[in-house]
Amino acid sequence: MHMAEGATTAFSVTDVTTLKERMQAIDATSTEQQRKAAADAAKVEKDFYWAYTEEPHQTRRQAILKAHPEISKLNGHEPLTKYVVLLVLAIQFTCAYLLRHTPVLSWRFFLTAYIIGATANQNIFLAIHEMSHNLGFKSPLANRLFSIVANLPIGLPYSAAFRGYHIEHHKFLGVDGIDTDLPTKFEAMLLHNILGKAFFCTFQILFYAIRPVMVKAQPFTRIHYLNLLTQLSFDYLLIHYLTPNALYYLILSSFLAGSLHPVAGHFIAEHYVFDTSNINPAETYSYYGPLNIVTYNVGYHNEHHDFPFVAWTRLPELRRVAREFYEPLPRHGSWTRVIWEFIWSGDVGMYSRVKRKEKKERMGEMAKGL
């Protein structure tokens, strides 16, 4: 993992009640060694990195557009997306058909689900992510409806609920109680050790499915009901005309896509703090490695948060044009290594996320403390 100094914009502390004292202590430090000691003392207290400024992406987007106004031309949908999705659907349905009589507990069944199925379904997850930003079609409705079609090999209804939560993740990045990508305090307390982190990495797809409902339930809309009805109908037909094993293959593929699998590393790599030596940690990390080929360039994550309406095929061009903004930022070199370091490092864990409270609450706390 490459780390660059001075790559973040948010001031963070770990103890809200002592904000004034910590700010004074940090201001008084005159050497890197003293600043690192202050950060290490904060980490011992086991709390999230609390930020008292807005998320950095809007500010950087404005700066980039001022320097490179031509980047606005990169916005827009990518017609290629639907063809990639149809290809991946064909691969998954073919595998489900071929495995319809294969014992679920066999190595052939598991390895196919791990090597092909998990990679394919992670690709589908991220295709739905693209369409949640209306980047598959010009029409927003076409994006919603095609997301329901793309959802079929996942085995469970997902696309309609994902869109609402993901838009909030962009609009309220790091805001406690709104951004459901953040682990809760209970999760962090329970899973902060090695065994807990290993459990989280193994079952993280379940955390991302259950946590949003527990933190901030969404109202059901017609699209939610259509997603549910379409998926359940497809699952019934799959069992009726093939076998239950065909559906088990698809569901196992979805589980493994969010478990101990290389492509699942992006879930942790995107926003968990690995720059632990910095008292002002980055809250978004990019990855420019080969796994972007099968994941719609989701590794270009700083770029994506800066410009969420630039489709996956044009994110590399965005980075090339605005290289002076992105080159200094911290990034990961391997998603597999991210999972390994997350589990085994004593400095990185469930608390390693930048959180902020809603703007009014932040302003009130700072007025009281300062």
Side-chain angles (χ1 to χ4, degrees):
M1 179 175 65
H2 165 79
M3 291 292 182
E5 296 180 359
T8 59
T9 59
F11 174 76
S12 340
V13 292
T14 60
D15 189 348
V16 173
T17 61
T18 57
L19 173 60
K20 183 175 181 180
E21 290 80 4
R22 287 183 185 280
M23 290 181 70
Q24 291 172 342
I26 291 169
D27 289 340
T29 58
S30 58
T31 67
E32 287 296 324
Q33 184 177 5
Q34 288 172 313
R35 286 193 287 272
K36 187 176 185 303
D40 290 341
K43 286 186 289 184
V44 170
E45 297 176 20
K46 295 295 181 187
D47 198 357
F48 298 100
Y49 295 87
W50 288 95
Y52 290 87
T53 59
E54 297 301 317
E55 56 88 8
H57 297 287
Q58 183 176 357
T59 302
R60 186 162 57 238
R61 175 167 59 251
Q62 293 170 348
I64 290 174
L65 285 173
K66 184 176 180 180
H68 303 284
E70 70 274 16
I71 281 177
S72 61
K73 297 178 181 179
L74 298 177
N75 288 336
H77 76 291
E78 173 51 72
L80 178 63
T81 303
K82 60 181 175 291
Y83 299 112
V84 177
V85 170
L86 292 173
L87 174 62
V88 175
L89 262 61
I91 291 171
Q92 280 296 76
F93 296 156
T94 299
C95 288
Y97 175 81
L98 294 175
L99 293 173
R100 67 194 185 282
H101 297 306
T102 302
V104 174
L105 298 180
S106 68
W107 281 106
R108 180 185 173 195
F109 193 96
F110 179 82
L111 288 177
T112 303
Y114 188 85
I115 297 171
I116 299 176
T119 306
N121 276 13
Q122 184 63 249
N123 179 278
I124 291 297
F125 287 144
L126 294 169
I128 291 171
H129 165 256
E130 283 289 300
M131 287 180 281
S132 74
H133 291 287
N134 295 326
L135 295 176
F137 299 85
K138 287 184 179 179
S139 163
L141 180 59
N143 282 282
R144 308 292 175 275
L145 296 177
F146 194 74
S147 292
I148 293 174
V149 175
N151 196 136
L152 295 178
I154 293 175
L156 297 170
Y158 161 81
S159 64
F162 171 79
R163 181 182 180 276
Y165 287 119
H166 187 68
I167 296 305
E168 288 185 337
H169 168 64
H170 275 266
K171 290 178 64 177
F172 303 99
L173 180 65
V175 176
D176 196 30
I178 299 180
D179 182 1
T180 57
D181 187 69
L182 295 163
T184 64
K185 180 72 171 179
F186 177 75
E187 290 174 56
M189 290 174 59
L190 190 65
L191 304 172
H192 72 277
N193 56 28
I194 290 175
L195 287 178
K197 291 187 289 182
F199 180 85
F200 173 75
C201 289
T202 303
F203 297 97
Q204 61 179 314
I205 195 69
L206 301 182
F207 285 86
Y208 285 110
I210 297 171
R211 182 196 298 144
V213 178
M214 302 298 292
V215 173
K216 191 175 184 291
Q218 288 182 350
F220 251 57
T221 67
R222 286 179 292 179
I223 289 293
H224 287 80
Y225 284 113
L226 182 60
N227 186 197
L228 178 64
L229 178 62
T230 303
Q231 190 63 53
L232 293 181
S233 299
F234 174 79
D235 293 349
Y236 170 78
L237 294 173
L238 199 64
I239 293 171
H240 182 75
Y241 288 104
L242 296 180
T243 67
N245 284 14
L247 178 59
Y248 296 156
Y249 163 75
L250 296 178
I251 293 177
L252 179 60
S253 296
S254 296
F255 172 78
L256 294 173
S259 185
L260 298 174
H261 191 284
V263 293
H266 83 87
F267 288 125
I268 296 171
E270 290 166 359
H271 296 294
Y272 278 84
V273 174
F274 280 73
D275 189 8
T276 57
S277 64
N278 195 334
I279 57 175
N280 301 310
E283 52 190 300
T284 305
Y285 294 74
S286 289
Y287 156 81
Y288 302 114
L291 291 180
N292 279 302
I293 295 171
V294 294
T295 56
Y296 295 94
N297 284 329
V298 75
Y300 288 74
H301 215 65
N302 270 301
E303 293 83 348
H304 170 64
H305 269 269
D306 289 350
F307 296 91
F309 300 113
V310 173
W312 61 282
T313 52
R314 295 187 285 275
L315 289 174
E317 176 65 8
L318 166 61
R319 180 175 186 265
R320 186 193 68 78
V321 173
R323 180 174 293 274
E324 71 273 23
F325 289 90
Y326 293 116
E327 190 61 32
L329 300 180
R331 59 184 180 267
H332 294 289
S334 166
W335 281 341
T336 303
R337 185 175 177 182
V338 162
I339 296 174
W340 178 268
E341 288 186 359
F342 179 82
I343 293 174
W344 291 104
S345 173
D347 294 330
V348 182
M350 300 299 292
Y351 285 108
S352 300
R353 289 294 296 265
V354 174
K355 282 192 177 187
R356 52 177 55 82
K357 297 186 178 181
E358 291 192 70
K359 189 172 184 178
K360 289 182 180 179
E361 192 173 356
R362 292 202 310 271
M363 294 294 99
E365 286 186 353
M366 291 192 72
K368 290 178 182 178
L370 299 176

